[in-house]
Amino acid sequence: LYASDMISGFRQLHTTNGTLSLAAGGNNVPERYGSDLWVANGYAYTGTWGFRSTYGNAVKIWQLDGSGAPTLVDSIVTLNIVTVSDIEVSDDGKLLMFSTENGPNSGFWFYRLTDPAHPTFIGKYLVGGTSGGIHTATFSRINGRLYAFGAKDPSGAALIILDVSSLDQ
């Protein structure tokens, strides 16, 4: 069992007789506030937000091991944003998507997971402006095609739907 905490980072938990306890990790992202979490194929991807001692413009990539602490293996830092909001891996495990806010690079970001420890950038869809961005984002596969859905906020609120099937090769 894993948990991402806004203040103390990413950790592994144990359950014993219905009680949660810390197994390992935590206090491992002191420079940023934690945001979202997605776990897939032995790796976890955590976002960051706002400003702590630096901007929340990073996706942290963790290798998971059921017998120990999550191990930080890489980070994706996106310049000219303040917050990484939602993070998700596609249902086939091929794509990592995250949404970003507050800066000229706000929008959707897509990475190939050929090597899940070191994702490769393959595309972005920016919504423009220096405030707002895409706050809530998710994948859905409909009739064999992969779509990214995102909520643009705050001003000019809109639902943005992208057909990203071509990225899912």
Side-chain angles (χ1 to χ4, degrees), residues 129-145:
T130 57
S131 65
I134 301 295
H135 180 74
T136 303
T138 191
F139 279 126
S140 185
R141 195 170 298 275
I142 303 169
N143 293 328
R145 301 198 62 82

Side-chain angles (χ1 to χ4, degrees), residues 53-77:
S53 61
T54 191
Y55 289 113
N57 61 350
V59 172
K60 302 287 187 168
I61 303 163
W62 308 86
Q63 187 169 21
L64 304 179
D65 176 352
S67 63
T71 303
L72 183 65
V73 293
D74 205 351
S75 295
I76 299 168
V77 175

Side-chain angles (χ1 to χ4, degrees), residues 36-55:
D36 204 30
L37 161 67
W38 195 270
V39 176
N41 303 315
Y43 290 87
Y45 305 90
T46 59
T48 58
W49 70 276
F51 186 86
R52 196 168 184 179
S53 61
T54 191
Y55 289 113

